[in-house]
Amino acid sequence: MIDIFSEILKNVLTALYESFWLSALLSVLFMFTWLYAREHDWKESVKIWLSEFKESSGFRRLFLLALYTMMILFRTLLNRNLWMNPLSDVMGGWWLWKESNGEMVLTTEPIENVMLFIPFTILLLWTVSSDKKRKERLPGGSVRLIAVLWLSVKTTFLFSISIEFLQLFLRLGTWQVSDCVYNTLGGFLGGLIYWVGCRISGMLR
């Protein structure tokens, strides 16, 4: 009877812990919304939001970036199971094949980590380009290509390493070097795709 009670208690506490940080984040965002709406009235706040979304390209870009960023956080951090030893596989998976129960099985994790950050980087650069002060540093010749790639690699690496350390600290997922490398590679490819797209659109004008 004690074993059954202990197992139930462990499962309940684990479920609460796994959803705690997501709940905390959503609660903070809700309170920010509530504070703003309290000052401007709920209906007026919704009208302002819809008006801004309709009229401001920068607002729409920022919204899409925030949406995709939240999707990444759900995939990598907020919707993960509790791991008792987050350092159990520090190097992570580098190849498409890995050993499982004595057999080699196909895994798509490296490709997924690369592809996950390509749209993120494109959306990030697209959002930054709406800022007139930074726009001049993005699309352009060979020097600006380096600036685009550097911004892409730097941002995705810092974002990825932050996620990995949060996984380590919160014990949600495992800390893996390969994830940082592949995520950063995705950022590099995303920056390159963005730059090529800007060059093509510039030539078509």
Side-chain angles (χ1 to χ4, degrees), residues 112-172:
E112 290 174 5
N113 285 330
V114 172
M115 294 182 64
L116 190 65
F117 274 77
I118 291 177
F120 168 78
T121 309
I122 294 173
L123 286 171
L124 174 67
L125 295 172
W126 190 45
T127 302
V128 170
S129 68
S130 64
D131 185 346
K132 294 181 179 180
K133 294 181 179 179
R134 299 182 181 181
K135 187 174 183 179
E136 297 178 355
R137 297 177 357 193
L138 292 178
S142 57
V143 175
R144 289 177 182 172
L145 170 61
I146 295 174
V148 168
L149 295 180
W150 170 243
L151 177 61
S152 303
V153 169
K154 177 179 65 174
T155 304
T156 51
F157 174 77
L158 292 175
F159 186 32
S160 178
I161 200 72
S162 298
I163 291 175
E164 294 300 316
F165 274 112
L166 283 172
Q167 287 179 340
L168 177 64
F169 177 73
L170 302 176
R171 293 179 178 270
L172 298 174

Side-chain angles (χ1 to χ4, degrees), residues 73-115:
L73 291 177
F74 265 96
R75 175 67 177 82
T76 61
L77 184 65
L78 298 175
N79 194 28
R80 301 294 294 271
N81 295 327
L82 178 65
W83 289 75
M84 300 312 297
N85 183 11
L87 293 173
S88 59
D89 188 17
V90 174
M91 295 307 297
W94 294 89
W95 315 112
L96 295 178
W97 296 90
K98 69 176 182 179
E99 186 176 348
S100 177
N101 298 324
E103 298 181 359
M104 297 301 293
V105 295
L106 178 66
T107 175
T108 58
E109 186 175 346
I111 297 177
E112 290 174 5
N113 285 330
V114 172
M115 294 182 64

